[in-house]
Amino acid sequence: MPFMRLRRLLPSSPLASVLGLLTCLAGAPIGAQAPPDATPTAAPGTTPAGTADNRSFTPTPHFVKGQVSRYQTQTTMALRFKTADSAKGDLNLTTAMDSVLRYKAQDTKADGDTVFSVIVESGKVLDVAGDSQEMAKEPETYPRTVTLDKSDRLLRMRDEGKRKTDAANPLETLSNQSSLLVPLHFIALPNHAVKIGDTWTARYPGPNAKLDGDKNGGEKDAPDPNAMRGEMTLLGVEKTGDQETLKIKQVLTVPFEVKVDAMGRSVTDAKNAAGRMLGQIVFTQIVSALPQDGQVLRSEGAIEGKVTFEGTAAKTLPSDTLLIGGKIVAARLPETDVKPIPAETKK
């Protein structure tokens, strides 16, 4: 089924929301050059997991009011509706995005929490129809904020610029790119010393989770299956430019569930539901972070996911199963740099 027909058939369906979500996650093809200090390279003193480096690391965030960080993120995404009809074949779609988010520390609190304003400074989206669209720069005063705790774990998100009706639609929350990119740009750090090979966990507000303001970040305290969950492992130590950095594997799991009515529109009241959409997206990436404060210099990895449709939604689609695959790479930028990011790094 051609995408233009799909778009005409389902202008307000959950599929439209899913495609919008995945467009927000996806980015332009990765370029060939990077900011000079953003590419991890092997160097004398590099210490992979399993070697004799027995040092302990306790990265501790420290932000000051007015501090600015910019991250450029580029991703590509392949979407496939899996069909059982070999004659029709699967429906394959591609989408991409390249964006720059700016974080500015608005307030630092005595308990270690930091409130940031977040705006989109620039970007370009390639949608599944093959149309390229520029992302408009948001004004300095755009009312979006995120709060990180003393370990850089995402506590809460606020976007007063969004339509009030969006709050009732978990997919709208999920499709807000800042909600997913924040825990990739600011990796949750351990609240204790770690050595190479150690693993720690964290959870974050998700589209259906009830974690706003929750101070408990460990996986043992996370019975809510709708929370975003992160698992981090210190793999070793490497050089990024002339700086020693921690090489961390991060696995971020984002589950979501959306109830839909007979017209395929999202609903919050179960009495009005005639079906549902279930999904999970997993980001697996290698992160280079500073050992002193945990600031992420660069990250690169893969995106995998699956969405299943039940009830009404399943009857309007080419298939009840959507498979997702893709790549993501991000780098912290100097104040004025917005440059392509390399697709490969030496690990």
Side-chain angles (χ1 to χ4, degrees), residues 51-121:
T51 63
D53 192 331
N54 292 318
R55 288 179 293 169
S56 294
F57 299 92
T58 311
T60 304
H62 177 69
F63 298 103
V64 296
K65 188 173 181 179
Q67 181 175 338
V68 171
S69 299
R70 288 178 171 84
Y71 284 91
Q72 182 180 5
T73 305
Q74 300 174 322
T75 58
T76 55
M77 191 81 67
L79 317 176
R80 180 162 62 102
F81 279 98
K82 184 70 175 176
T83 64
D85 190 337
S86 58
K88 293 182 178 180
D90 296 342
L91 173 63
N92 295 290
L93 306 169
T94 302
T95 182
M97 190 189 73
D98 182 343
S99 68
V100 175
L101 292 187
R102 191 215 66 181
Y103 302 87
K104 185 175 183 179
Q106 283 188 338
D107 190 20
T108 55
K109 302 182 181 298
D111 61 1
D113 292 359
T114 304
V115 180
F116 294 86
S117 65
V118 186
I119 63 172
V120 176
E121 285 203 329

Side-chain angles (χ1 to χ4, degrees), residues 132-145:
S132 179
Q133 304 174 29
E134 295 288 336
M135 298 171 64
K137 180 178 180 179
E138 294 177 336
E140 181 78 19
T141 56
Y142 186 86
R144 181 192 297 113
T145 62

Side-chain angles (χ1 to χ4, degrees), residues 27-329:
I30 309 306
Q33 299 296 323
D37 61 347
T39 306
T41 57
T46 298
T47 309
T51 63
D53 192 331
N54 292 318
R55 288 179 293 169
S56 294
F57 299 92
T58 311
T60 304
H62 177 69
F63 298 103
V64 296
K65 188 173 181 179
Q67 181 175 338
V68 171
S69 299
R70 288 178 171 84
Y71 284 91
Q72 182 180 5
T73 305
Q74 300 174 322
T75 58
T76 55
M77 191 81 67
L79 317 176
R80 180 162 62 102
F81 279 98
K82 184 70 175 176
T83 64
D85 190 337
S86 58
K88 293 182 178 180
D90 296 342
L91 173 63
N92 295 290
L93 306 169
T94 302
T95 182
M97 190 189 73
D98 182 343
S99 68
V100 175
L101 292 187
R102 191 215 66 181
Y103 302 87
K104 185 175 183 179
Q106 283 188 338
D107 190 20
T108 55
K109 302 182 181 298
D111 61 1
D113 292 359
T114 304
V115 180
F116 294 86
S117 65
V118 186
I119 63 172
V120 176
E121 285 203 329
S122 64
K124 182 179 291 187
V125 174
L126 180 67
D127 68 22
V128 291
D131 297 327
S132 179
Q133 304 174 29
E134 295 288 336
M135 298 171 64
K137 180 178 180 179
E138 294 177 336
E140 181 78 19
T141 56
Y142 186 86
R144 181 192 297 113
T145 62
V146 298
T147 302
L148 305 181
D149 71 6
K150 63 182 180 181
S151 297
D152 272 4
R153 184 177 67 92
L154 175 63
L155 285 180
R156 65 185 68 91
M157 299 166 287
R158 293 282 186 268
D159 191 343
E160 302 300 330
K162 293 176 67 62
R163 301 185 308 273
K164 291 183 179 180
T165 54
D166 290 349
N169 185 348
L171 264 185
E172 292 292 343
T173 301
L174 187 58
S175 64
N176 178 352
Q177 64 166 322
S178 62
S179 67
L180 284 173
L181 294 182
V182 171
L184 299 176
H185 295 159
F186 295 89
I187 189 171
L189 301 170
N191 56 12
H192 53 80
V194 293
K195 294 184 177 183
I196 293 173
D198 287 349
T199 295
W200 63 98
T201 60
R203 60 186 174 123
Y204 319 87
N208 300 118
K210 301 175 180 179
L211 297 177
D212 191 40
D214 186 356
K215 291 289 186 178
N216 297 317
E219 190 68 19
K220 293 181 179 179
D221 301 314
D224 190 342
N226 294 309
M228 292 194 287
R229 303 182 304 279
E231 181 178 279
M232 285 65 64
T233 301
L234 179 58
L235 299 180
V237 180
E238 62 188 0
K239 287 286 187 178
T240 300
D242 59 355
Q243 301 181 87
E244 183 179 67
T245 56
L246 302 180
K247 182 178 180 180
I248 301 170
K249 179 180 179 181
Q250 180 194 40
V251 180
L252 180 66
T253 303
V254 185
F256 61 92
E257 176 181 350
V258 180
K259 297 180 180 66
V260 295
D261 64 13
M263 298 298 293
R265 296 168 300 198
S266 300
V267 296
T268 56
D269 190 342
K271 293 185 296 184
N272 298 325
R276 63 177 181 166
M277 178 171 58
L278 300 171
Q280 178 171 284
I281 300 175
V282 179
F283 298 82
T284 303
Q285 61 173 5
I286 301 299
V287 177
S288 297
L290 295 177
Q292 297 83 8
D293 57 16
Q295 287 191 59
V296 173
L297 296 187
R298 192 185 189 283
S299 62
E300 180 177 1
I303 308 169
E304 294 181 310
K306 181 179 180 180
V307 179
T308 57
F309 303 88
E310 300 176 354
T312 302
K315 298 177 182 179
T316 63
L317 301 174
S319 167
D320 62 2
T321 302
L322 174 64
L323 302 179
I324 304 164
K327 295 181 179 181
I328 182 168
V329 59

